[in-house]
Amino acid sequence: VFKNIEDYDLAVENYLNAITANPFEEKYAKAIAVISQIMAKEGDTEYRRKEYEEAIEYYLKAVKYSPDYTIALFKIARTYYKTGDLENCQEYLQQNIAIDNEQEQSHKMLGDIMRKQGDVDKAIHHYNIAIQINGNYSDWTYILLHVC
């Protein structure tokens, strides 16, 4: 009912209570994941409108509901990067990597931040990880590293 009236906080709270009562029923966790995806889509809409603060709020809600939602974590970081807030960007990229070290976009963006901050060694480290995960970065990174 709460999901249908778009009171997502209460919906998630009740789904969490249902999980506690019946931890073997997967549909409650799936319902929370759907709500997280709804929040991320709302964030995407705000991001496209260049309403970055609102986008971040939606992405943060998505992560609040599903803390391991790596796509939303990356979108938070990407939005902070877009606004020039490299400190918060770096924080969320590191959270994302802590959940899943195979996040090549997060490693690439951390490399970008380190390069901007003049730490070429750390930039190369993160670019190399991104290349190991996704070989499509290799040509671009080769050129970039020679510019560094």
Side-chain angles (χ1 to χ4, degrees), residues 110-137:
L110 272 173
D112 293 343
I113 291 170
M114 296 301 130
R115 185 174 52 87
K116 281 185 176 189
Q117 293 175 342
D119 193 337
V120 176
D121 290 338
K122 283 186 182 177
I124 291 170
H125 170 75
H126 285 289
Y127 289 140
N128 280 330
I129 293 172
I131 291 168
Q132 290 170 3
I133 298 167
N134 181 350
N136 291 330
Y137 285 128

Side-chain angles (χ1 to χ4, degrees), residues 97-110:
I97 290 169
I99 293 168
D100 180 5
N101 194 41
E102 298 292 307
Q103 296 288 320
E104 79 269 4
Q105 290 180 318
S106 293
H107 281 290
K108 185 213 170 281
M109 191 173 284
L110 272 173

